[in-house]
Amino acid sequence: MKTPVPSSPSKRLLSLDVMRGWIMILLAAESAQLYRSLRPLAKDSWAEGIVRQFFHHAWNGLRFWDLVQPAFMTIAGVAMYIAFTRKGVAWSANWPHVLRRSLRLLVCGVGLHCIYQGRLVWELWNVLTQLSVTTIIAYAIIQKSVRFQIIVSVALLVLTELCYRTTGIPGFDQPFTDQHNFGNWVDLLLMGKMNSGGWVTINCIPTAAHTIWGVLIGKILIDGNITQQRKVTVLFAAGAISLAVGYGLDWAGVTPIIKRIATSSFVLASGGWVLWTAAFLFWFIDVKKRNGGAWVPVVVGMNPIFIYLVFETVGHQWLNGAVAIFVTGFLGWTGMTEDWMNVASALVTLGLYWGLCYWLYRKKIFFKL
């Protein structure tokens, strides 16, 4: 493959910053308990189905919220490729930076589990621990051809299928049954425990495809040899293929779509939706230049890991409760119901997260791992 010529080495892709920003805003809203607060208000109404989309599917199926982590990991791949290309350093010389970043992601991910549990634990289910592995895999082949990268990503999905279907470990020989699959067995080896929600550590193997596809998206978007319309067409076509294969495997009864163990059908279906989202935002923002209001998510997207750590630590441990004290205290005088006060409290907390990011953006303070 001919080496891509960056169309504008110094210019950022606004659509990338917008997509990353909206991902972080959605995650911050979850941390602020917005979706949980809306649930009782939406019960037994037309809105119940909408609110349900902001919670992970219990097992076999796909909801909107199941797409957030794939989008997060895909965007990480896009950003990694663009940063590597614009740094202009040798692939081998950049390895120490990649390994240090991956180690920091791993430490932060494990540390978050310790905070969740309120004690020292060894757990590897956090998105940051997953990303620490997928980053290394994607960077290892970042200079390879598009064909090679696609083959590797598909091989990772095939490897996962084989591990779940053929290992035949007693008690863990039911590939798509919670607590009885290969991923659960690996967790027992690595951590001596299984996740009660069905999440498994080796999700980092199949979902590495998302980060690799992010690298491919980055290659396409900054390639000056490809017209903008062609870029949009390629991304939409790739997304259509991925969606067709992913849902096809599920509907045909071959491999069910299960996010919690990142089945191949899930990776393909979710990857397809992410590709379509990236294509639409690139067309709408970078091609059509319809970027009014883009600054709202952009200020959050400029400090993604920092704000994630903030709302997963300070938010859970203190801020959510502290804000609720004052919001519910004052709104209680108005006669507002408890459910609506909880929504108001969540929105105020979310606003504080955004305000912090806005302040950092204005001060040009950007935290990087």
Side-chain angles (χ1 to χ4, degrees), residues 41-273:
L41 290 169
K43 189 176 181 180
D44 299 326
S45 74
W46 61 269
E48 186 173 11
I50 297 175
V51 174
R52 189 182 299 120
Q53 291 297 314
F54 290 87
F55 294 85
H56 289 303
H57 199 287
W59 195 247
N60 179 198
L62 189 65
R63 294 177 181 167
F64 170 76
W65 197 246
D66 297 320
L67 304 177
V68 174
Q69 180 175 341
F72 185 93
M73 300 180 85
T74 301
I75 286 295
V78 179
M80 179 170 64
Y81 179 77
I82 294 176
F84 171 67
T85 301
R86 291 175 176 172
K87 282 170 68 175
V89 299
W91 174 79
S92 57
N94 198 47
W95 259 116
H97 167 73
V98 173
L99 293 175
R100 286 194 298 270
R101 175 178 171 79
S102 295
L103 179 60
R104 292 177 189 130
L105 286 169
L106 177 64
V107 170
C108 289
V110 173
L112 284 177
H113 277 291
C114 294
I115 293 172
Y116 300 154
Q117 299 291 339
R119 58 189 174 87
L120 290 179
V121 294
W122 173 243
E123 296 180 358
L124 303 169
W125 298 302
N126 187 276
V127 62
L128 298 184
T129 63
Q130 301 281 307
L131 187 59
S132 71
V133 177
T134 69
T135 294
I136 293 174
I137 294 173
Y139 184 75
I141 60 173
I142 199 168
Q143 288 190 306
K144 299 296 184 179
S145 67
V146 169
R147 177 178 297 180
F148 183 88
Q149 291 172 329
I150 292 174
I151 290 174
V152 169
S153 66
V154 172
L156 291 172
L157 301 183
V158 173
L159 173 63
T160 304
E161 289 274 352
L162 292 174
C163 287
Y164 275 87
R165 291 176 183 274
T166 66
T167 46
I169 300 166
F172 299 96
D173 53 358
Q174 301 176 52
F176 309 121
T177 302
D178 187 19
Q179 308 299 309
H180 295 283
N181 57 65
F182 177 75
N184 299 138
W185 176 76
V186 172
D187 283 350
L188 282 177
L189 291 181
L190 293 176
M191 297 173 286
K193 66 182 80 173
M194 295 187 296
N195 187 286
S196 60
W199 308 102
V200 297
T201 303
I202 61 166
N203 283 352
C204 61
I205 295 176
T207 58
H210 288 139
T211 309
I212 293 172
W213 295 342
V215 168
L216 291 172
I217 292 172
K219 281 187 176 184
I220 293 169
L221 292 184
I222 70 169
D223 192 341
N225 299 315
I226 307 176
T227 65
Q228 290 183 321
Q229 186 56 51
R230 177 66 174 169
K231 293 174 183 179
V232 174
T233 301
V234 169
L235 292 180
F236 266 112
I241 294 171
S242 190
L243 283 165
V245 176
Y247 279 107
L249 288 171
D250 182 75
W251 294 339
V254 177
T255 302
I257 291 176
I258 305 173
K259 172 179 171 48
R260 293 169 190 263
I261 58 172
T263 57
S264 57
S265 54
F266 163 75
V267 173
L268 288 162
S270 60
W273 286 116

